[in-house]
mmCIF file with all atom_site columns, all heavy atoms in Angstrom:
data_model
loop_
_atom_site.group_PDB
_atom_site.id
_atom_site.type_symbol
_atom_site.label_atom_id
_atom_site.label_alt_id
_atom_site.label_comp_id
_atom_site.label_asym_id
_atom_site.label_entity_id
_atom_site.label_seq_id
_atom_site.pdbx_PDB_ins_code
_atom_site.Cartn_x
_atom_site.Cartn_y
_atom_site.Cartn_z
_atom_site.occupancy
_atom_site.B_iso_or_equiv
_atom_site.pdbx_formal_charge
_atom_site.auth_seq_id
_atom_site.auth_comp_id
_atom_site.auth_asym_id
_atom_site.auth_atom_id
_atom_site.pdbx_PDB_model_num
ATOM 1   N N   . ILE L 1 1  ? -6.495  7.612  -3.224  1.00 97.00 ? 1  ILE L N   1
ATOM 2   C CA  . ILE L 1 1  ? -5.136  7.728  -3.751  1.00 97.00 ? 1  ILE L CA  1
ATOM 3   C C   . ILE L 1 1  ? -4.217  6.711  -3.076  1.00 97.00 ? 1  ILE L C   1
ATOM 4   O O   . ILE L 1 1  ? -3.351  6.108  -3.729  1.00 97.00 ? 1  ILE L O   1
ATOM 5   C CB  . ILE L 1 1  ? -4.608  9.162  -3.580  1.00 97.00 ? 1  ILE L CB  1
ATOM 6   C CG1 . ILE L 1 1  ? -5.366  10.109 -4.529  1.00 97.00 ? 1  ILE L CG1 1
ATOM 7   C CG2 . ILE L 1 1  ? -3.107  9.243  -3.836  1.00 97.00 ? 1  ILE L CG2 1
ATOM 8   C CD1 . ILE L 1 1  ? -4.997  11.569 -4.386  1.00 97.00 ? 1  ILE L CD1 1
ATOM 9   N N   . PHE L 1 2  ? -4.419  6.490  -1.779  1.00 98.00 ? 2  PHE L N   1
ATOM 10  C CA  . PHE L 1 2  ? -3.610  5.486  -1.082  1.00 98.00 ? 2  PHE L CA  1
ATOM 11  C C   . PHE L 1 2  ? -3.760  4.115  -1.734  1.00 98.00 ? 2  PHE L C   1
ATOM 12  O O   . PHE L 1 2  ? -2.762  3.439  -2.021  1.00 98.00 ? 2  PHE L O   1
ATOM 13  C CB  . PHE L 1 2  ? -3.996  5.392  0.396   1.00 98.00 ? 2  PHE L CB  1
ATOM 14  C CG  . PHE L 1 2  ? -3.466  4.141  1.042   1.00 98.00 ? 2  PHE L CG  1
ATOM 15  C CD1 . PHE L 1 2  ? -2.101  4.006  1.307   1.00 98.00 ? 2  PHE L CD1 1
ATOM 16  C CD2 . PHE L 1 2  ? -4.308  3.077  1.327   1.00 98.00 ? 2  PHE L CD2 1
ATOM 17  C CE1 . PHE L 1 2  ? -1.600  2.833  1.854   1.00 98.00 ? 2  PHE L CE1 1
ATOM 18  C CE2 . PHE L 1 2  ? -3.810  1.905  1.883   1.00 98.00 ? 2  PHE L CE2 1
ATOM 19  C CZ  . PHE L 1 2  ? -2.451  1.785  2.148   1.00 98.00 ? 2  PHE L CZ  1
ATOM 20  N N   . LYS L 1 3  ? -4.985  3.703  -1.968  1.00 97.00 ? 3  LYS L N   1
ATOM 21  C CA  . LYS L 1 3  ? -5.209  2.373  -2.552  1.00 97.00 ? 3  LYS L CA  1
ATOM 22  C C   . LYS L 1 3  ? -4.599  2.283  -3.954  1.00 97.00 ? 3  LYS L C   1
ATOM 23  O O   . LYS L 1 3  ? -4.026  1.256  -4.329  1.00 97.00 ? 3  LYS L O   1
ATOM 24  C CB  . LYS L 1 3  ? -6.702  2.055  -2.564  1.00 97.00 ? 3  LYS L CB  1
ATOM 25  C CG  . LYS L 1 3  ? -7.259  1.772  -1.156  1.00 97.00 ? 3  LYS L CG  1
ATOM 26  C CD  . LYS L 1 3  ? -8.716  1.388  -1.178  1.00 97.00 ? 3  LYS L CD  1
ATOM 27  C CE  . LYS L 1 3  ? -9.154  0.797  0.161   1.00 97.00 ? 3  LYS L CE  1
ATOM 28  N NZ  . LYS L 1 3  ? -8.879  1.622  1.317   1.00 97.00 ? 3  LYS L NZ  1
ATOM 29  N N   . TYR L 1 4  ? -4.697  3.363  -4.718  1.00 97.00 ? 4  TYR L N   1
ATOM 30  C CA  . TYR L 1 4  ? -4.104  3.393  -6.053  1.00 97.00 ? 4  TYR L CA  1
ATOM 31  C C   . TYR L 1 4  ? -2.573  3.284  -5.970  1.00 97.00 ? 4  TYR L C   1
ATOM 32  O O   . TYR L 1 4  ? -1.952  2.484  -6.700  1.00 97.00 ? 4  TYR L O   1
ATOM 33  C CB  . TYR L 1 4  ? -4.504  4.691  -6.767  1.00 97.00 ? 4  TYR L CB  1
ATOM 34  C CG  . TYR L 1 4  ? -3.754  4.946  -8.045  1.00 97.00 ? 4  TYR L CG  1
ATOM 35  C CD1 . TYR L 1 4  ? -4.054  4.239  -9.203  1.00 97.00 ? 4  TYR L CD1 1
ATOM 36  C CD2 . TYR L 1 4  ? -2.719  5.883  -8.086  1.00 97.00 ? 4  TYR L CD2 1
ATOM 37  C CE1 . TYR L 1 4  ? -3.347  4.469  -10.384 1.00 97.00 ? 4  TYR L CE1 1
ATOM 38  C CE2 . TYR L 1 4  ? -2.012  6.114  -9.255  1.00 97.00 ? 4  TYR L CE2 1
ATOM 39  C CZ  . TYR L 1 4  ? -2.327  5.405  -10.403 1.00 97.00 ? 4  TYR L CZ  1
ATOM 40  O OH  . TYR L 1 4  ? -1.619  5.622  -11.554 1.00 97.00 ? 4  TYR L OH  1
ATOM 41  N N   . GLN L 1 5  ? -1.962  4.062  -5.078  1.00 97.00 ? 5  GLN L N   1
ATOM 42  C CA  . GLN L 1 5  ? -0.504  4.063  -4.994  1.00 97.00 ? 5  GLN L CA  1
ATOM 43  C C   . GLN L 1 5  ? 0.041   2.795  -4.346  1.00 97.00 ? 5  GLN L C   1
ATOM 44  O O   . GLN L 1 5  ? 1.121   2.323  -4.709  1.00 97.00 ? 5  GLN L O   1
ATOM 45  C CB  . GLN L 1 5  ? -0.026  5.316  -4.254  1.00 97.00 ? 5  GLN L CB  1
ATOM 46  C CG  . GLN L 1 5  ? -0.304  6.590  -5.038  1.00 97.00 ? 5  GLN L CG  1
ATOM 47  C CD  . GLN L 1 5  ? 0.157   7.849  -4.358  1.00 97.00 ? 5  GLN L CD  1
ATOM 48  O OE1 . GLN L 1 5  ? 0.399   7.877  -3.140  1.00 97.00 ? 5  GLN L OE1 1
ATOM 49  N NE2 . GLN L 1 5  ? 0.293   8.930  -5.115  1.00 97.00 ? 5  GLN L NE2 1
ATOM 50  N N   . ALA L 1 6  ? -0.717  2.223  -3.411  1.00 97.00 ? 6  ALA L N   1
ATOM 51  C CA  . ALA L 1 6  ? -0.301  0.965  -2.797  1.00 97.00 ? 6  ALA L CA  1
ATOM 52  C C   . ALA L 1 6  ? -0.217  -0.145 -3.832  1.00 97.00 ? 6  ALA L C   1
ATOM 53  O O   . ALA L 1 6  ? 0.580   -1.085 -3.707  1.00 97.00 ? 6  ALA L O   1
ATOM 54  C CB  . ALA L 1 6  ? -1.278  0.577  -1.688  1.00 97.00 ? 6  ALA L CB  1
ATOM 55  N N   . GLU L 1 7  ? -0.991  -0.018 -4.877  1.00 97.00 ? 7  GLU L N   1
ATOM 56  C CA  . GLU L 1 7  ? -1.001  -1.026 -5.942  1.00 97.00 ? 7  GLU L CA  1
ATOM 57  C C   . GLU L 1 7  ? -0.036  -0.683 -7.072  1.00 97.00 ? 7  GLU L C   1
ATOM 58  O O   . GLU L 1 7  ? 0.605   -1.576 -7.643  1.00 97.00 ? 7  GLU L O   1
ATOM 59  C CB  . GLU L 1 7  ? -2.416  -1.160 -6.507  1.00 97.00 ? 7  GLU L CB  1
ATOM 60  C CG  . GLU L 1 7  ? -2.561  -2.223 -7.589  1.00 97.00 ? 7  GLU L CG  1
ATOM 61  C CD  . GLU L 1 7  ? -3.990  -2.395 -8.071  1.00 97.00 ? 7  GLU L CD  1
ATOM 62  O OE1 . GLU L 1 7  ? -4.925  -1.984 -7.334  1.00 97.00 ? 7  GLU L OE1 1
ATOM 63  O OE2 . GLU L 1 7  ? -4.178  -2.928 -9.176  1.00 97.00 ? 7  GLU L OE2 1
ATOM 64  N N   . ASN L 1 8  ? 0.096   0.607  -7.385  1.00 97.00 ? 8  ASN L N   1
ATOM 65  C CA  . ASN L 1 8  ? 0.822   1.002  -8.599  1.00 97.00 ? 8  ASN L CA  1
ATOM 66  C C   . ASN L 1 8  ? 2.216   1.564  -8.370  1.00 97.00 ? 8  ASN L C   1
ATOM 67  O O   . ASN L 1 8  ? 2.985   1.687  -9.332  1.00 97.00 ? 8  ASN L O   1
ATOM 68  C CB  . ASN L 1 8  ? -0.006  2.025  -9.371  1.00 97.00 ? 8  ASN L CB  1
ATOM 69  C CG  . ASN L 1 8  ? -1.260  1.413  -9.959  1.00 97.00 ? 8  ASN L CG  1
ATOM 70  O OD1 . ASN L 1 8  ? -1.201  0.730  -10.978 1.00 97.00 ? 8  ASN L OD1 1
ATOM 71  N ND2 . ASN L 1 8  ? -2.407  1.630  -9.312  1.00 97.00 ? 8  ASN L ND2 1
ATOM 72  N N   . CYS L 1 9  ? 2.542   1.944  -7.149  1.00 97.00 ? 9  CYS L N   1
ATOM 73  C CA  . CYS L 1 9  ? 3.894   2.435  -6.856  1.00 97.00 ? 9  CYS L CA  1
ATOM 74  C C   . CYS L 1 9  ? 4.690   1.286  -6.241  1.00 97.00 ? 9  CYS L C   1
ATOM 75  O O   . CYS L 1 9  ? 4.454   0.903  -5.091  1.00 97.00 ? 9  CYS L O   1
ATOM 76  C CB  . CYS L 1 9  ? 3.845   3.622  -5.894  1.00 97.00 ? 9  CYS L CB  1
ATOM 77  S SG  . CYS L 1 9  ? 5.479   4.268  -5.454  1.00 97.00 ? 9  CYS L SG  1
ATOM 78  N N   . LYS L 1 10 ? 5.616   0.718  -7.012  1.00 96.00 ? 10 LYS L N   1
ATOM 79  C CA  . LYS L 1 10 ? 6.326   -0.484 -6.559  1.00 96.00 ? 10 LYS L CA  1
ATOM 80  C C   . LYS L 1 10 ? 7.073   -0.258 -5.244  1.00 96.00 ? 10 LYS L C   1
ATOM 81  O O   . LYS L 1 10 ? 7.037   -1.102 -4.334  1.00 96.00 ? 10 LYS L O   1
ATOM 82  C CB  . LYS L 1 10 ? 7.305   -0.963 -7.631  1.00 96.00 ? 10 LYS L CB  1
ATOM 83  C CG  . LYS L 1 10 ? 7.978   -2.292 -7.262  1.00 96.00 ? 10 LYS L CG  1
ATOM 84  C CD  . LYS L 1 10 ? 8.935   -2.768 -8.321  1.00 96.00 ? 10 LYS L CD  1
ATOM 85  C CE  . LYS L 1 10 ? 9.492   -4.148 -7.979  1.00 96.00 ? 10 LYS L CE  1
ATOM 86  N NZ  . LYS L 1 10 ? 10.042  -4.266 -6.624  1.00 96.00 ? 10 LYS L NZ  1
ATOM 87  N N   . VAL L 1 11 ? 7.758   0.867  -5.137  1.00 97.00 ? 11 VAL L N   1
ATOM 88  C CA  . VAL L 1 11 ? 8.507   1.154  -3.908  1.00 97.00 ? 11 VAL L CA  1
ATOM 89  C C   . VAL L 1 11 ? 7.561   1.194  -2.707  1.00 97.00 ? 11 VAL L C   1
ATOM 90  O O   . VAL L 1 11 ? 7.838   0.609  -1.658  1.00 97.00 ? 11 VAL L O   1
ATOM 91  C CB  . VAL L 1 11 ? 9.256   2.501  -4.034  1.00 97.00 ? 11 VAL L CB  1
ATOM 92  C CG1 . VAL L 1 11 ? 9.969   2.841  -2.735  1.00 97.00 ? 11 VAL L CG1 1
ATOM 93  C CG2 . VAL L 1 11 ? 10.236  2.457  -5.185  1.00 97.00 ? 11 VAL L CG2 1
ATOM 94  N N   . TYR L 1 12 ? 6.453   1.876  -2.878  1.00 97.00 ? 12 TYR L N   1
ATOM 95  C CA  . TYR L 1 12 ? 5.479   2.009  -1.782  1.00 97.00 ? 12 TYR L CA  1
ATOM 96  C C   . TYR L 1 12 ? 4.830   0.655  -1.493  1.00 97.00 ? 12 TYR L C   1
ATOM 97  O O   . TYR L 1 12 ? 4.648   0.286  -0.328  1.00 97.00 ? 12 TYR L O   1
ATOM 98  C CB  . TYR L 1 12 ? 4.435   3.058  -2.157  1.00 97.00 ? 12 TYR L CB  1
ATOM 99  C CG  . TYR L 1 12 ? 3.559   3.522  -1.026  1.00 97.00 ? 12 TYR L CG  1
ATOM 100 C CD1 . TYR L 1 12 ? 4.044   3.692  0.263   1.00 97.00 ? 12 TYR L CD1 1
ATOM 101 C CD2 . TYR L 1 12 ? 2.213   3.845  -1.258  1.00 97.00 ? 12 TYR L CD2 1
ATOM 102 C CE1 . TYR L 1 12 ? 3.237   4.143  1.292   1.00 97.00 ? 12 TYR L CE1 1
ATOM 103 C CE2 . TYR L 1 12 ? 1.394   4.289  -0.236  1.00 97.00 ? 12 TYR L CE2 1
ATOM 104 C CZ  . TYR L 1 12 ? 1.908   4.439  1.032   1.00 97.00 ? 12 TYR L CZ  1
ATOM 105 O OH  . TYR L 1 12 ? 1.091   4.885  2.047   1.00 97.00 ? 12 TYR L OH  1
ATOM 106 N N   . HIS L 1 13 ? 4.495   -0.081 -2.550  1.00 97.00 ? 13 HIS L N   1
ATOM 107 C CA  . HIS L 1 13 ? 3.904   -1.411 -2.384  1.00 97.00 ? 13 HIS L CA  1
ATOM 108 C C   . HIS L 1 13 ? 4.834   -2.320 -1.574  1.00 97.00 ? 13 HIS L C   1
ATOM 109 O O   . HIS L 1 13 ? 4.405   -2.995 -0.630  1.00 97.00 ? 13 HIS L O   1
ATOM 110 C CB  . HIS L 1 13 ? 3.626   -2.032 -3.757  1.00 97.00 ? 13 HIS L CB  1
ATOM 111 C CG  . HIS L 1 13 ? 3.181   -3.451 -3.703  1.00 97.00 ? 13 HIS L CG  1
ATOM 112 N ND1 . HIS L 1 13 ? 1.864   -3.828 -3.484  1.00 97.00 ? 13 HIS L ND1 1
ATOM 113 C CD2 . HIS L 1 13 ? 3.882   -4.621 -3.809  1.00 97.00 ? 13 HIS L CD2 1
ATOM 114 C CE1 . HIS L 1 13 ? 1.777   -5.143 -3.472  1.00 97.00 ? 13 HIS L CE1 1
ATOM 115 N NE2 . HIS L 1 13 ? 2.986   -5.648 -3.668  1.00 97.00 ? 13 HIS L NE2 1
ATOM 116 N N   . ASP L 1 14 ? 6.111   -2.324 -1.949  1.00 96.00 ? 14 ASP L N   1
ATOM 117 C CA  . ASP L 1 14 ? 7.075   -3.172 -1.238  1.00 96.00 ? 14 ASP L CA  1
ATOM 118 C C   . ASP L 1 14 ? 7.252   -2.724 0.204   1.00 96.00 ? 14 ASP L C   1
ATOM 119 O O   . ASP L 1 14 ? 7.424   -3.554 1.111   1.00 96.00 ? 14 ASP L O   1
ATOM 120 C CB  . ASP L 1 14 ? 8.426   -3.152 -1.969  1.00 96.00 ? 14 ASP L CB  1
ATOM 121 C CG  . ASP L 1 14 ? 8.366   -3.838 -3.328  1.00 96.00 ? 14 ASP L CG  1
ATOM 122 O OD1 . ASP L 1 14 ? 7.358   -4.517 -3.614  1.00 96.00 ? 14 ASP L OD1 1
ATOM 123 O OD2 . ASP L 1 14 ? 9.334   -3.681 -4.108  1.00 96.00 ? 14 ASP L OD2 1
ATOM 124 N N   . PHE L 1 15 ? 7.237   -1.411 0.431   1.00 96.00 ? 15 PHE L N   1
ATOM 125 C CA  . PHE L 1 15 ? 7.362   -0.874 1.793   1.00 96.00 ? 15 PHE L CA  1
ATOM 126 C C   . PHE L 1 15 ? 6.182   -1.334 2.660   1.00 96.00 ? 15 PHE L C   1
ATOM 127 O O   . PHE L 1 15 ? 6.370   -1.803 3.795   1.00 96.00 ? 15 PHE L O   1
ATOM 128 C CB  . PHE L 1 15 ? 7.425   0.652  1.730   1.00 96.00 ? 15 PHE L CB  1
ATOM 129 C CG  . PHE L 1 15 ? 7.442   1.337  3.069   1.00 96.00 ? 15 PHE L CG  1
ATOM 130 C CD1 . PHE L 1 15 ? 8.556   1.271  3.892   1.00 96.00 ? 15 PHE L CD1 1
ATOM 131 C CD2 . PHE L 1 15 ? 6.341   2.071  3.510   1.00 96.00 ? 15 PHE L CD2 1
ATOM 132 C CE1 . PHE L 1 15 ? 8.571   1.912  5.131   1.00 96.00 ? 15 PHE L CE1 1
ATOM 133 C CE2 . PHE L 1 15 ? 6.349   2.708  4.741   1.00 96.00 ? 15 PHE L CE2 1
ATOM 134 C CZ  . PHE L 1 15 ? 7.461   2.632  5.551   1.00 96.00 ? 15 PHE L CZ  1
ATOM 135 N N   . ILE L 1 16 ? 4.987   -1.219 2.115   1.00 96.00 ? 16 ILE L N   1
ATOM 136 C CA  . ILE L 1 16 ? 3.783   -1.628 2.849   1.00 96.00 ? 16 ILE L CA  1
ATOM 137 C C   . ILE L 1 16 ? 3.809   -3.129 3.123   1.00 96.00 ? 16 ILE L C   1
ATOM 138 O O   . ILE L 1 16 ? 3.491   -3.586 4.233   1.00 96.00 ? 16 ILE L O   1
ATOM 139 C CB  . ILE L 1 16 ? 2.517   -1.239 2.048   1.00 96.00 ? 16 ILE L CB  1
ATOM 140 C CG1 . ILE L 1 16 ? 2.391   0.285  1.975   1.00 96.00 ? 16 ILE L CG1 1
ATOM 141 C CG2 . ILE L 1 16 ? 1.257   -1.840 2.675   1.00 96.00 ? 16 ILE L CG2 1
ATOM 142 C CD1 . ILE L 1 16 ? 1.358   0.768  0.975   1.00 96.00 ? 16 ILE L CD1 1
ATOM 143 N N   . THR L 1 17 ? 4.203   -3.899 2.112   1.00 96.00 ? 17 THR L N   1
ATOM 144 C CA  . THR L 1 17 ? 4.297   -5.356 2.272   1.00 96.00 ? 17 THR L CA  1
ATOM 145 C C   . THR L 1 17 ? 5.300   -5.712 3.367   1.00 96.00 ? 17 THR L C   1
ATOM 146 O O   . THR L 1 17 ? 5.066   -6.610 4.182   1.00 96.00 ? 17 THR L O   1
ATOM 147 C CB  . THR L 1 17 ? 4.717   -6.017 0.944   1.00 96.00 ? 17 THR L CB  1
ATOM 148 O OG1 . THR L 1 17 ? 3.758   -5.679 -0.068  1.00 96.00 ? 17 THR L OG1 1
ATOM 149 C CG2 . THR L 1 17 ? 4.795   -7.527 1.081   1.00 96.00 ? 17 THR L CG2 1
ATOM 150 N N   . GLY L 1 18 ? 6.428   -4.975 3.386   1.00 95.00 ? 18 GLY L N   1
ATOM 151 C CA  . GLY L 1 18 ? 7.444   -5.224 4.401   1.00 95.00 ? 18 GLY L CA  1
ATOM 152 C C   . GLY L 1 18 ? 6.953   -4.947 5.812   1.00 95.00 ? 18 GLY L C   1
ATOM 153 O O   . GLY L 1 18 ? 7.460   -5.536 6.778   1.00 95.00 ? 18 GLY L O   1
ATOM 154 N N   . LEU L 1 19 ? 5.970   -4.065 5.923   1.00 95.00 ? 19 LEU L N   1
ATOM 155 C CA  . LEU L 1 19 ? 5.377   -3.775 7.239   1.00 95.00 ? 19 LEU L CA  1
ATOM 156 C C   . LEU L 1 19 ? 4.276   -4.778 7.592   1.00 95.00 ? 19 LEU L C   1
ATOM 157 O O   . LEU L 1 19 ? 3.672   -4.680 8.671   1.00 95.00 ? 19 LEU L O   1
ATOM 158 C CB  . LEU L 1 19 ? 4.787   -2.360 7.250   1.00 95.00 ? 19 LEU L CB  1
ATOM 159 C CG  . LEU L 1 19 ? 5.780   -1.190 7.139   1.00 95.00 ? 19 LEU L CG  1
ATOM 160 C CD1 . LEU L 1 19 ? 5.037   0.135  7.007   1.00 95.00 ? 19 LEU L CD1 1
ATOM 161 C CD2 . LEU L 1 19 ? 6.712   -1.157 8.352   1.00 95.00 ? 19 LEU L CD2 1
ATOM 162 N N   . ASN L 1 20 ? 4.028   -5.705 6.650   1.00 95.00 ? 20 ASN L N   1
ATOM 163 C CA  . ASN L 1 20 ? 2.973   -6.709 6.845   1.00 95.00 ? 20 ASN L CA  1
ATOM 164 C C   . ASN L 1 20 ? 1.602   -6.056 7.005   1.00 95.00 ? 20 ASN L C   1
ATOM 165 O O   . ASN L 1 20 ? 0.788   -6.466 7.842   1.00 95.00 ? 20 ASN L O   1
ATOM 166 C CB  . ASN L 1 20 ? 3.293   -7.605 8.053   1.00 95.00 ? 20 ASN L CB  1
ATOM 167 C CG  . ASN L 1 20 ? 2.538   -8.920 8.000   1.00 95.00 ? 20 ASN L CG  1
ATOM 168 O OD1 . ASN L 1 20 ? 2.193   -9.403 6.918   1.00 95.00 ? 20 ASN L OD1 1
ATOM 169 N ND2 . ASN L 1 20 ? 2.248   -9.488 9.161   1.00 95.00 ? 20 ASN L ND2 1
ATOM 170 N N   . ILE L 1 21 ? 1.373   -5.013 6.188   1.00 95.00 ? 21 ILE L N   1
ATOM 171 C CA  . ILE L 1 21 ? 0.096   -4.297 6.215   1.00 95.00 ? 21 ILE L CA  1
ATOM 172 C C   . ILE L 1 21 ? -0.698  -4.638 4.961   1.00 95.00 ? 21 ILE L C   1
ATOM 173 O O   . ILE L 1 21 ? -0.149  -4.658 3.854   1.00 95.00 ? 21 ILE L O   1
ATOM 174 C CB  . ILE L 1 21 ? 0.333   -2.778 6.297   1.00 95.00 ? 21 ILE L CB  1
ATOM 175 C CG1 . ILE L 1 21 ? 0.904   -2.402 7.674   1.00 95.00 ? 21 ILE L CG1 1
ATOM 176 C CG2 . ILE L 1 21 ? -0.957  -1.997 6.027   1.00 95.00 ? 21 ILE L CG2 1
ATOM 177 C CD1 . ILE L 1 21 ? 1.310   -0.941 7.798   1.00 95.00 ? 21 ILE L CD1 1
ATOM 178 N N   . ASN L 1 22 ? -1.960  -4.939 5.129   1.00 96.00 ? 22 ASN L N   1
ATOM 179 C CA  . ASN L 1 22 ? -2.859  -5.208 4.012   1.00 96.00 ? 22 ASN L CA  1
ATOM 180 C C   . ASN L 1 22 ? -3.566  -3.902 3.638   1.00 96.00 ? 22 ASN L C   1
ATOM 181 O O   . ASN L 1 22 ? -4.356  -3.382 4.430   1.00 96.00 ? 22 ASN L O   1
ATOM 182 C CB  . ASN L 1 22 ? -3.885  -6.275 4.399   1.00 96.00 ? 22 ASN L CB  1
ATOM 183 C CG  . ASN L 1 22 ? -4.852  -6.603 3.268   1.00 96.00 ? 22 ASN L CG  1
ATOM 184 O OD1 . ASN L 1 22 ? -4.847  -5.948 2.215   1.00 96.00 ? 22 ASN L OD1 1
ATOM 185 N ND2 . ASN L 1 22 ? -5.676  -7.617 3.473   1.00 96.00 ? 22 ASN L ND2 1
ATOM 186 N N   . PRO L 1 23 ? -3.299  -3.343 2.445   1.00 96.00 ? 23 PRO L N   1
ATOM 187 C CA  . PRO L 1 23 ? -3.930  -2.078 2.060   1.00 96.00 ? 23 PRO L CA  1
ATOM 188 C C   . PRO L 1 23 ? -5.456  -2.119 2.141   1.00 96.00 ? 23 PRO L C   1
ATOM 189 O O   . PRO L 1 23 ? -6.094  -1.086 2.392   1.00 96.00 ? 23 PRO L O   1
ATOM 190 C CB  . PRO L 1 23 ? -3.465  -1.878 0.610   1.00 96.00 ? 23 PRO L CB  1
ATOM 191 C CG  . PRO L 1 23 ? -2.189  -2.628 0.508   1.00 96.00 ? 23 PRO L CG  1
ATOM 192 C CD  . PRO L 1 23 ? -2.370  -3.831 1.401   1.00 96.00 ? 23 PRO L CD  1
ATOM 193 N N   . GLY L 1 24 ? -6.038  -3.280 1.939   1.00 94.00 ? 24 GLY L N   1
ATOM 194 C CA  . GLY L 1 24 ? -7.493  -3.416 2.008   1.00 94.00 ? 24 GLY L CA  1
ATOM 195 C C   . GLY L 1 24 ? -8.058  -3.166 3.395   1.00 94.00 ? 24 GLY L C   1
ATOM 196 O O   . GLY L 1 24 ? -9.262  -2.919 3.545   1.00 94.00 ? 24 GLY L O   1
ATOM 197 N N   . ASN L 1 25 ? -7.184  -3.210 4.401   1.00 95.00 ? 25 ASN L N   1
ATOM 198 C CA  . ASN L 1 25 ? -7.643  -2.987 5.784   1.00 95.00 ? 25 ASN L CA  1
ATOM 199 C C   . ASN L 1 25 ? -7.491  -1.533 6.237   1.00 95.00 ? 25 ASN L C   1
ATOM 200 O O   . ASN L 1 25 ? -7.805  -1.208 7.379   1.00 95.00 ? 25 ASN L O   1
ATOM 201 C CB  . ASN L 1 25 ? -6.870  -3.888 6.745   1.00 95.00 ? 25 ASN L CB  1
ATOM 202 C CG  . ASN L 1 25 ? -7.159  -5.359 6.524   1.00 95.00 ? 25 ASN L CG  1
ATOM 203 O OD1 . ASN L 1 25 ? -8.250  -5.712 6.031   1.00 95.00 ? 25 ASN L OD1 1
ATOM 204 N ND2 . ASN L 1 25 ? -6.215  -6.231 6.856   1.00 95.00 ? 25 ASN L ND2 1
ATOM 205 N N   . ILE L 1 26 ? -7.003  -0.670 5.341   1.00 96.00 ? 26 ILE L N   1
ATOM 206 C CA  . ILE L 1 26 ? -6.804  0.744  5.690   1.00 96.00 ? 26 ILE L CA  1
ATOM 207 C C   . ILE L 1 26 ? -8.112  1.496  5.440   1.00 96.00 ? 26 ILE L C   1
ATOM 208 O O   . ILE L 1 26 ? -8.572  1.617  4.304   1.00 96.00 ? 26 ILE L O   1
ATOM 209 C CB  . ILE L 1 26 ? -5.668  1.364  4.857   1.00 96.00 ? 26 ILE L CB  1
ATOM 210 C CG1 . ILE L 1 26 ? -4.359  0.603  5.068   1.00 96.00 ? 26 ILE L CG1 1
ATOM 211 C CG2 . ILE L 1 26 ? -5.507  2.841  5.194   1.00 96.00 ? 26 ILE L CG2 1
ATOM 212 C CD1 . ILE L 1 26 ? -3.794  0.673  6.455   1.00 96.00 ? 26 ILE L CD1 1
ATOM 213 N N   . ASN L 1 27 ? -8.693  2.016  6.500   1.00 95.00 ? 27 ASN L N   1
ATOM 214 C CA  . ASN L 1 27 ? -9.984  2.702  6.397   1.00 95.00 ? 27 ASN L CA  1
ATOM 215 C C   . ASN L 1 27 ? -9.957  4.132  6.921   1.00 95.00 ? 27 ASN L C   1
ATOM 216 O O   . ASN L 1 27 ? -10.989 4.806  6.936   1.00 95.00 ? 27 ASN L O   1
ATOM 217 C CB  . ASN L 1 27 ? -11.059 1.909  7.150   1.00 95.00 ? 27 ASN L CB  1
ATOM 218 C CG  . ASN L 1 27 ? -11.230 0.510  6.589   1.00 95.00 ? 27 ASN L CG  1
ATOM 219 O OD1 . ASN L 1 27 ? -11.451 0.348  5.385   1.00 95.00 ? 27 ASN L OD1 1
ATOM 220 N ND2 . ASN L 1 27 ? -11.106 -0.504 7.442   1.00 95.00 ? 27 ASN L ND2 1
ATOM 221 N N   . SER L 1 28 ? -8.797  4.590  7.376   1.00 95.00 ? 28 SER L N   1
ATOM 222 C CA  . SER L 1 28 ? -8.685  5.964  7.882   1.00 95.00 ? 28 SER L CA  1
ATOM 223 C C   . SER L 1 28 ? -7.292  6.488  7.585   1.00 95.00 ? 28 SER L C   1
ATOM 224 O O   . SER L 1 28 ? -6.346  5.708  7.375   1.00 95.00 ? 28 SER L O   1
ATOM 225 C CB  . SER L 1 28 ? -8.952  6.030  9.391   1.00 95.00 ? 28 SER L CB  1
ATOM 226 O OG  . SER L 1 28 ? -7.870  5.445  10.107  1.00 95.00 ? 28 SER L OG  1
#
């Protein structure tokens, strides 16, 4: 669900991008 929302929820995507986090590196 995280990977889906990181891609499809614009607010969440922008928030993650602003933290300089790559969703592909999230494993836990």
